[in-house]
Amino acid sequence: MRPLVEPHLRDLLPYVPGKPIEETEREFGVTNIAKLASNENCLGPSPRATAAVQAALAKGHLYPDAGAFALKARIAHLHDVAPAQIVIGCGTNELITHLCRALLGEGDALLNAWPSFVCYRIGARIVGAPERTVPLDAALNYDLAALADVAAADPSVKLVFLANPNNPIGACFGRDALEAFVARVPDHVVIVLDEAYAEYVERPDYEDAVALIRRRPRTLFLRTFSKIHGLAAYRIGYAVGDVEIMQILDQMRDAFNVSALAQVAALAALDDVEHIERTRAHNRAERPRLVTALEGLGLAVTPSEANFVLATLPESLPLDVPALNLALLQRALIVRPVANYGLPRSVRITVGTQTENDRLLAALAEIVGAAGSRT
Amino acid sequence: MRPLVEPHLRDLLPYVPGKPIEETEREFGVTNIAKLASNENCLGPSPRATAAVQAALAKGHLYPDAGAFALKARIAHLHDVAPAQIVIGCGTNELITHLCRALLGEGDALLNAWPSFVCYRIGARIVGAPERTVPLDAALNYDLAALADVAAADPSVKLVFLANPNNPIGACFGRDALEAFVARVPDHVVIVLDEAYAEYVERPDYEDAVALIRRRPRTLFLRTFSKIHGLAAYRIGYAVGDVEIMQILDQMRDAFNVSALAQVAALAALDDVEHIERTRAHNRAERPRLVTALEGLGLAVTPSEANFVLATLPESLPLDVPALNLALLQRALIVRPVANYGLPRSVRITVGTQTENDRLLAALAEIVGAAGSRT
């Protein structure tokens, strides 16, 4: 009998999601869980989005608008681009995978920093394309100069993803660094800026992706409704950019890839300025408080411009991440170990509500304190 | 500059969806539209599903369970299979495309009847795989003997989809015909039974897909929540079958391919026996009434076991489908022309509510009558 599938499909990289609340409840016999593992919006979904969805539930039997007419018009207005420059995905995850499928043909390679969002790597594996990997620098920032070196030197490089802020780090590079990178990347390389956490960024010199896509063909950026808008349950995100690529992407997606409720929710969320501002203000206040307290417990925290931080256990502490994670789960706290990102002594912690952060910090003080007393 | 994408991606087949209600309202300046174009459940979404979703809206900011633990357990119970034999998709459409991606490698061909659901053909185009096409017989039934001939004779055939009932026809074959087909198909060929309309089927000898997948490896079947459950807006369907194929499919899908609300809705819909039975009873009563009335107007109607019928204008009538369709749209009625399925004188009509069907029949009487008076 002939082989069932191409060999590379036998070796796909599974995505390791944050532990679901229900599963953790079942496994550890706990309730009142604080999930600080998936960078969801701790203030909940956009209330305007929820209200709009509520009003649309009676139409649950009708297929979505396959062309997402209303939502595309709204996003086009937001970024001052044409609707044809927009593709809506079942989360940006779908768009990342389709970009790999569309752009990584025979002989093409993905250029990827590591660690960065694992879905770029998963996408390359799904199409069986090789990955050229450039490590982050010692401070866990993108090494954009080294990435540009590879893009310029290796003609197989066809596609590069830059997560800014980067995930699972939180680090964010500025406009000048991006400009210098872009200037050195050959024109045939497609540059994708993944801006999942853009709305949280405070630095004034954050990239202007719209200006960049106007100037450079083969450039696009991704935005999601899963983060600041609080709509992760719905699965919706979008790409904006090069019309030629967008046309291909739009035909590659299944016609009804985005649910009607997600379209309704996203449309309302974009107008929910109160929710966006409230979330920003919360993050602006709570993240520094969390960072200071974590550092006070002896953990190293990487500077972050997102709604999460990367915290690293000192080598001197006789506590490893699996033990820390278990102790937190037993206290109904879910954070994200990132050993699969090559960071075995780190956890990614979402900025929670004040109460959630207090609970986490109290638990950490207890766990880290007990471990420290063993030294 | 190197080509942006592989040549076959320049030539994808767009899916032509039913006209959305909002778009039709805009274009024709009408309201109170009856959409009889997309085979949605005219009685609306499962009320239990809607209630369950309503209760889940406050969790809209949380990612779905990527493993769909609860829903898979429920479906496993329904069909008496193991959860590992189930993959949940963003509609069966996603699963169809992924099956083509997973199974149609270099040198492999799709075996397809025509007309049948266009997404099988679209899937083959997306991966650049050739399609061996076998036309329906003169009565628009699957020619299963001819399909088996091709499967047995052409070693490149790797994957065959059978929609039963077939779309856009409504015709349904029985168990014996399927058994005879399966007996002649080589073991290496993957057989996919698309049972999107299974719950509407009345014939007592309808296929037993579960028994078949137990007996024959490389066999699977698809079910959707978009039809009888009335959840087309949500995008959710599933595949059941061969564990080896399901494992690959499960890794090929994006981790969060199915929204949390869709999972909640589907779980509740499976228990909504009242809604399923009410819908079946409605279809059992209204479809024959619609068929009789359409035939009374001189249209030919193909026997259907689904919630739609294929109606064909007689050659003698000086009226073509574009003119008919325009006249219906102007009367706020949307049906589905199927010229893209090679049926230029036919429309697919969803069985609507009694009121909707009455409106359609009155409009058709007027339009067909006026055309007839010109002969």
Side-chain angles (χ1 to χ4, degrees), chain B residues 62-78:
Chain B
L62 300 179
Y63 278 87
D65 176 1
F69 181 90
L71 181 59
K72 278 191 182 181
R74 179 68 183 80
I75 293 169
H77 177 75
L78 175 69

Side-chain angles (χ1 to χ4, degrees), chain B residues 294 299-302 309-313 345-349:
Chain B
L294 289 169
L299 280 70
V301 183
T302 315
V309 297
L310 186 80
T312 303
L313 294 171
R345 291 198 57 80
S346 304
V347 290
R348 196 189 65 185
I349 302 170

Side-chain angles (χ1 to χ4, degrees), chain B:
Chain B
M1 199 178 282
R2 290 187 296 169
L4 185 64
V5 296
E6 305 292 300
H8 77 271
L9 292 176
R10 294 268 174 213
D11 190 30
L12 295 184
L13 189 67
Y15 178 82
V16 183
K19 234 173 154 55
I21 288 175
E22 293 74 17
E23 195 178 319
T24 309
E25 287 179 345
R26 275 196 302 275
E27 197 174 333
F28 293 90
V30 293
T31 54
N32 190 24
I33 281 177
K35 187 181 174 208
L36 305 171
S38 301
N39 304 343
E40 292 139 340
N41 185 333
C42 65
L43 302 185
S46 152
R48 284 203 190 195
T50 303
V53 169
Q54 194 128 17
L57 289 183
K59 294 185 179 173
H61 60 306
L62 300 179
Y63 278 87
D65 176 1
F69 181 90
L71 181 59
K72 278 191 182 181
R74 179 68 183 80
I75 293 169
H77 177 75
L78 175 69
H79 295 300
D80 191 19
V81 297
Q85 289 179 271
I86 300 163
V87 176
I88 316 286
C90 182
T92 49
N93 193 164
E94 184 194 22
L95 300 171
I96 291 165
T97 318
H98 281 337
L99 282 167
C100 291
R101 289 192 181 107
L103 300 172
L104 298 175
E106 194 62 40
D108 296 327
L110 172 75
L111 174 59
N112 196 24
W114 192 256
S116 68
F117 188 38
V118 72
C119 287
Y120 317 142
R121 173 169 287 184
I122 291 175
R125 297 273 179 99
I126 280 177
V127 298
E131 176 188 329
R132 311 284 177 242
T133 312
V134 173
L136 300 182
D137 69 17
L140 295 181
N141 291 307
Y142 268 101
D143 189 343
L144 289 168
L147 282 161
D149 287 344
V150 176
D154 183 344
S156 74
V157 168
K158 171 82 165 288
L159 174 65
V160 55
F161 288 94
L162 298 176
N164 193 30
N166 194 12
N167 179 2
I169 315 297
C172 180
F173 53 76
R175 197 172 299 169
D176 291 348
L178 179 61
E179 293 294 339
F181 170 78
V182 168
R184 291 188 53 215
V185 172
D187 289 345
H188 70 267
V189 175
V190 176
I191 301 176
V192 183
L193 300 167
D194 185 345
E195 299 192 333
Y197 299 94
E199 298 87 348
Y200 287 108
V201 174
E202 301 280 345
R203 64 184 292 171
D205 67 338
Y206 184 55
E207 67 197 21
D208 182 350
V210 176
L212 186 59
I213 63 167
R214 279 195 219 293
R215 221 173 57 221
R216 183 186 187 275
R218 302 210 172 179
T219 308
L220 47 130
F221 66 92
L222 305 175
R223 290 285 182 106
T224 181
F225 290 94
S226 299
K227 301 303 177 187
I228 206 162
H229 299 294
L231 301 177
Y234 291 85
R235 315 312 306 127
I236 182 162
Y238 60 93
V240 182
D242 189 80
V243 174
E244 191 183 10
I245 298 174
M246 291 298 121
Q247 278 173 349
I248 304 280
L249 259 192
D250 205 43
Q251 290 219 340
M252 287 193 66
R253 69 180 178 82
D254 298 323
F256 300 111
N257 63 326
V258 179
S259 94
L261 303 183
Q263 293 186 38
V264 163
L267 198 55
L270 287 175
D271 287 331
D272 200 343
V273 179
E274 296 81 1
H275 189 252
I276 297 170
E277 283 310 323
R278 191 166 50 235
T279 305
R280 269 194 196 130
H282 173 81
N283 201 57
R284 204 180 292 129
E286 277 296 292
R287 194 183 59 210
R289 188 175 79 88
L290 185 63
V291 170
T292 304
L294 289 169
E295 288 175 343
L297 292 170
L299 280 70
V301 183
T302 315
S304 168
E305 291 271 343
N307 71 332
F308 63 86
V309 297
L310 186 80
T312 303
L313 294 171
E315 291 294 337
S316 59
L317 192 72
L319 176 69
D320 62 16
V321 167
L324 168 66
N325 193 44
L326 180 65
L328 288 173
L329 287 169
Q330 287 164 340
R331 288 163 176 82
L333 289 156
I334 317 179
V335 300
R336 180 80 70 102
V338 285
N340 60 328
Y341 284 92
L343 300 166
R345 291 198 57 80
S346 304
V347 290
R348 196 189 65 185
I349 302 170
T350 305
V351 177
T353 62
Q354 207 172 327
T355 312
E356 288 172 332
N357 297 336
D358 285 344
R359 271 184 60 196
L360 175 78
L361 290 168
L364 281 174
E366 199 181 307
I367 299 161
V368 170
S373 72
R374 290 200 300 271
T375 53

Side-chain angles (χ1 to χ4, degrees), chain A residues 31-118:
Chain A
T31 54
N32 191 26
I33 281 177
K35 187 182 173 205
L36 305 172
S38 301
N39 304 341
E40 292 140 340
N41 185 333
C42 64
L43 303 184
S46 153
R48 284 204 192 194
T50 303
V53 169
Q54 195 129 18
L57 289 182
K59 292 184 181 174
H61 60 306
L62 300 180
Y63 278 87
D65 176 1
F69 181 90
L71 181 59
K72 278 191 183 183
R74 179 67 184 80
I75 293 170
H77 177 75
L78 175 69
H79 296 299
D80 192 20
V81 298
Q85 290 179 269
I86 299 163
V87 176
I88 316 285
C90 181
T92 50
N93 192 162
E94 184 193 22
L95 300 171
I96 291 165
T97 317
H98 281 336
L99 282 166
C100 291
R101 289 190 182 108
L103 299 171
L104 297 175
E106 194 63 39
D108 296 328
L110 171 74
L111 174 58
N112 195 23
W114 192 255
S116 68
F117 187 39
V118 72

